[in-house]
Amino acid sequence: MNIFEDFQARVGAALKSLAAAGRAPANLDLSRFVVEPPREAAHGDLSTNAAMVYAREAKAAGGNPRALAEALAEVLRKTPDVEAIEVAGPGFINIRLALATYARVLVAILERGVDFGRAAKPAAGKVNVEYVSANPTGPMHVGHARGAVFGDALANLLAFAGYEVTREYYVNDAGAQVDVLARSAFLRYREALGEAVTIPEGFYPGDYLKPLGAALAAEFGASLRDRPEAEWLPAVRARAIAAMMTMIRADLAALNIVHEVFSSERALTGADGGGDQVRAAIEELRGRGIVYVGRLPPPKGQPSEDWEDREQTLFRSTDFGDDVDRPLIKSDGGYTYFASDIAYHKSKIDRGFLTLIDVWGADHGGYVKRMQAAVAALSGGKANLDVKLCQLVRLMRAGEPVKMSKRSGEFVTLREVVDEVGADPARFIMLMRKNDAPLDFDLAKVIEQSQDNPVFYVQYAHARARSVLRQAHATFPALDLAPKTLSGADFSLLSDEGERGLMRSLAQYPRVVIQAAEAHEPHRIAFYAHDLATLFHSHWNRGKDSPHLRFVNEGNASLTNARIGLVTATAFVLASALTILGVSAPEEMR
């Protein structure tokens, strides 16, 4: 039940009826206006800007926005569920709903449980969400955690909103960095054989490669030690990549993140013995006149690593909104990263995805336009690529910066953070800021049991709601507190403004889900959950000072029944929001 969609339809129908009666302009585009919560709750439950949106049409028809708003209000007052309507300012319409409307919302929640707000029917099209995609050269750091959590929560959100979602990880296993990884692992292999080794500058120095070195020594003995690099590199590289991906999967699992698809860059380039999909993609675009041989002018301002003063194979990205055409083949004959990424995104489109979401680190911001240009070219404009950039995470402990990890040798690992604070705080705090805003993550504060800790505050609201249900059962053992039974309670007894505020917030949940999914912004769910928790805690606290407001009223079973229905509905919606975020909804907290 989405009261905003319902009243969107009602306002549209009212405009049509007014137009038929000659009291409103005809042939209006009814997709332009919105029905939304007013900025201040005192103004009502719903607000629409319809009269303001059609101000030009109203004036052309000899009227004005205020007159159109009055006419609309007159029609809407006659519809069910409306308690009062007010026209404000030049033509905004504020609507106060009858309590019976919110009673139906509570019934819908109690009937659907944690699925309230979930799309009733599948959304059109498949969505590919690619996130994390960290180089397989070592453990993931805390910066990767933000993109991992964001991407996973976004995938959860889109699935809840009805989309068919695939969660994908792109394994960058074909570049020079994996050769450096292999050479670093080879040093640890020699170390496992008893040699004293020094890790040179530019190699991976972390202790995480020691187990891999020991595994290589156990598998090969000393047989690799004296061979030329060309002979041992392929075998060591393959095992190193496999070991790193096992580590990465385990680190992600600690955050409750599981990808369905792992795509290999080596497979795209043909390095694993398959077909060269990168060359095939380039030739396809060349055949369409989108790839050509030419020279690039020198870049203005800062030097660009893409620029070489030579004839080279270029992609016409400027035809699709980019600032400059982009090289596809390096001077040594190898592919640029961009060329491999073109082939990779072509594979997504070939698999039927027309909505692509890539989650990248903020340092890749300059790469967005060219990739969007490539997707537009590859799909003939049919596919859309939305790149979500995740800003840096500054790791703190009680306000002080945290030092680097001994395990990685360079940074604090994701696993170290999760092992210290737990998956729930890590996930929730990562989602309490919009992805493109910097984030301070304080290891001490995120485990505080206080209202200043958002994850504790929201989880405690759910646990508190469940404790109220246990209290109600102890007070009224004969009451049937099953959600289906509670849906028959007399919700007209919920007359306090605090109760109405909770119902108003619960009714907004389906709209929040839709808007968050359409904007690809899971942080909106975190904000909503925190706001709902605030309302619940606030009303619970009022009951401490005013016994007649308590959820469990020992002298009135009918009122308790209605209030327990409200508490159960609140617990369901909190649990639903937390599930989208990938955070647990505890039954109790001590």
Side-chain angles (χ1 to χ4, degrees):
M1 181 180 179
N2 188 329
I3 61 173
F4 296 91
E5 286 185 349
D6 181 18
F7 272 83
Q8 185 90 16
R10 295 192 196 194
V11 173
L15 284 166
K16 287 182 179 179
S17 69
L18 289 171
R23 300 178 61 195
N27 302 318
L28 295 175
D29 178 0
L30 298 181
S31 67
R32 290 167 54 197
F33 73 92
V34 296
V35 175
E36 58 189 358
R39 290 185 179 180
E40 296 182 26
H43 292 167
D45 301 309
L46 307 175
S47 179
T48 181
N49 64 348
M52 300 297 298
V53 165
Y54 303 119
R56 181 181 301 176
E57 291 90 336
K59 289 178 181 177
N64 60 69
R66 178 81 189 196
L68 179 57
E70 293 287 1
L72 269 174
E74 179 185 334
V75 175
L76 293 171
R77 286 189 184 100
K78 299 175 184 177
T79 64
D81 306 324
V82 172
E83 183 177 286
I85 291 184
E86 178 188 50
V87 177
F92 291 102
I93 301 173
N94 295 322
I95 304 169
R96 187 170 179 85
L97 299 175
L99 185 57
T101 308
Y102 286 124
R104 287 199 297 277
V105 171
L106 292 181
V107 170
I109 299 172
L110 292 169
E111 289 178 345
R112 296 207 67 193
V114 292
D115 285 329
F116 176 71
R118 183 185 293 275
K121 57 183 180 180
K126 303 193 301 181
V127 180
N128 182 287
V129 185
E130 180 214 328
Y131 55 107
V132 188
S133 298
N135 288 339
T137 54
M140 291 186 297
H141 55 67
V142 70
H144 292 132
R146 189 174 192 185
V149 168
F150 173 85
D152 196 59
L154 177 55
N156 291 342
L157 170 61
L158 291 169
F160 193 82
Y163 294 91
E164 183 182 346
V165 181
T166 293
R167 305 157 194 260
E168 188 154 338
Y169 188 118
Y170 182 46
V171 185
N172 297 108
D173 54 2
Q177 79 282 349
V178 292
D179 287 343
V180 175
L181 171 70
R183 295 183 183 106
S184 303
F186 189 73
L187 286 178
R188 294 300 189 182
Y189 157 74
R190 289 167 52 191
E191 184 178 52
L193 293 176
E195 292 185 36
V197 300
T198 301
I199 309 299
E201 185 76 21
F203 278 48
Y204 296 105
D207 289 349
Y208 63 88
L209 288 177
K210 288 185 176 181
L212 175 58
L216 289 168
E219 179 180 359
F220 294 102
S223 65
L224 299 181
R225 181 168 50 190
D226 298 322
R227 292 186 186 179
E229 179 181 285
E231 293 184 14
W232 59 253
L233 184 64
V236 172
R237 180 175 55 210
R239 286 156 178 78
I241 292 170
M244 294 305 100
M245 289 307 303
T246 297
M247 180 189 302
I248 286 170
R249 283 187 174 96
D251 289 349
L252 290 172
L255 269 177
N256 302 318
I257 294 172
V258 177
H259 290 79
E260 295 147 349
V261 175
F262 287 81
S263 292
S264 163
E265 183 183 4
R266 293 184 65 79
L268 288 174
T269 62
D272 64 350
D276 190 340
Q277 297 176 54
V278 182
R279 183 165 300 281
I282 292 173
E283 292 309 312
E284 178 180 322
L285 294 176
R286 191 193 306 274
R288 290 158 51 190
I290 302 172
V291 168
Y292 68 101
V293 174
R295 289 179 178 271
L296 288 176
K300 298 176 181 178
Q302 293 291 330
S304 170
E305 62 180 21
D306 285 344
W307 185 73
E308 292 182 81
D309 186 15
R310 65 180 178 87
E311 280 201 342
Q312 53 188 318
T313 302
L314 302 170
F315 168 64
R316 294 187 188 276
S317 51
T318 51
D319 286 359
F320 302 91
D322 197 6
D323 301 322
V324 64
D325 291 346
R326 303 293 179 177
L328 299 176
I329 299 178
K330 297 182 289 188
S331 56
D332 63 3
Y335 299 125
T336 62
Y337 284 117
F338 180 52
S340 296
D341 286 340
I342 286 178
Y344 172 47
H345 284 76
K346 182 179 184 298
S347 79
K348 295 183 185 181
I349 296 167
D350 290 345
R351 284 180 271 148
F353 296 105
L354 296 182
T355 300
L356 312 178
I357 303 171
D358 288 1
V359 181
W360 298 348
D363 55 336
H364 289 76
Y367 205 68
V368 174
K369 279 188 177 181
R370 74 188 70 176
M371 208 62 250
Q372 289 176 332
V375 168
L378 289 164
S379 67
K382 294 179 181 179
N384 176 66
L385 171 63
D386 183 15
V387 178
K388 311 302 287 188
L389 299 175
C390 290
Q391 280 288 348
L392 297 176
V393 176
R394 188 170 64 159
L395 199 62
M396 316 287 285
R397 190 189 303 279
E400 295 296 324
V402 174
K403 296 180 180 180
M404 70 178 62
S405 163
K406 291 182 180 179
R407 180 173 178 237
S408 71
E410 298 174 344
F411 47 77
V412 177
T413 67
L414 176 154
R415 191 59 175 268
E416 287 168 330
V417 172
V418 175
D419 286 348
E420 179 169 342
V421 305
D424 284 350
R427 290 187 68 114
F428 196 94
I429 298 301
M430 294 283 180
L431 294 165
M432 272 301 289
R433 294 291 298 274
K434 191 176 179 181
N435 57 284
D436 59 3
L439 174 70
D440 284 351
F441 189 99
D442 195 304
L443 293 163
K445 290 185 177 180
V446 301
I447 56 175
E448 283 182 359
Q449 294 193 353
S450 74
Q451 66 180 22
D452 294 328
N453 178 5
V455 62
F456 172 81
Y457 192 64
V458 176
Q459 287 184 312
Y460 187 53
H462 182 268
R464 175 172 272 177
R466 303 305 296 179
S467 73
V468 170
L469 303 186
R470 292 191 292 271
Q471 180 190 352
H473 180 73
T475 305
F476 296 99
L479 277 183
D480 184 354
L481 302 182
K484 184 176 181 179
T485 304
L486 289 172
S487 67
D490 183 3
F491 294 120
S492 67
L493 299 173
L494 302 178
S495 57
D496 181 75
E497 188 55 37
E499 294 166 338
R500 189 178 183 104
L502 275 170
M503 291 187 287
R504 184 185 298 116
S505 180
L506 293 172
Q508 292 174 9
Y509 184 58
R511 176 179 180 271
V512 172
V513 167
I514 290 171
Q515 291 198 321
E518 289 177 347
H520 300 165
E521 292 182 345
H523 73 273
R524 297 191 188 197
I525 303 298
F527 288 2
Y528 169 84
H530 192 268
D531 289 345
L532 178 59
T534 299
L535 289 171
F536 182 74
H537 287 308
S538 176
H539 192 64
W540 190 90
N541 288 329
R542 289 177 66 212
K544 290 195 298 184
D545 300 324
S546 304
H548 71 283
L549 293 178
R550 291 174 182 170
F551 294 118
V552 179
N553 189 312
E554 295 184 9
N556 192 332
S558 296
L559 180 58
T560 296
N561 216 31
R563 288 177 172 171
I564 292 306
L566 174 60
V567 172
T568 301
T570 301
F572 276 144
V573 173
L574 283 170
S576 175
L578 286 168
T579 299
I580 288 174
L581 301 175
V583 176
S584 66
E587 292 289 310
E588 57 183 336
M589 296 177 71
R590 301 183 184 278

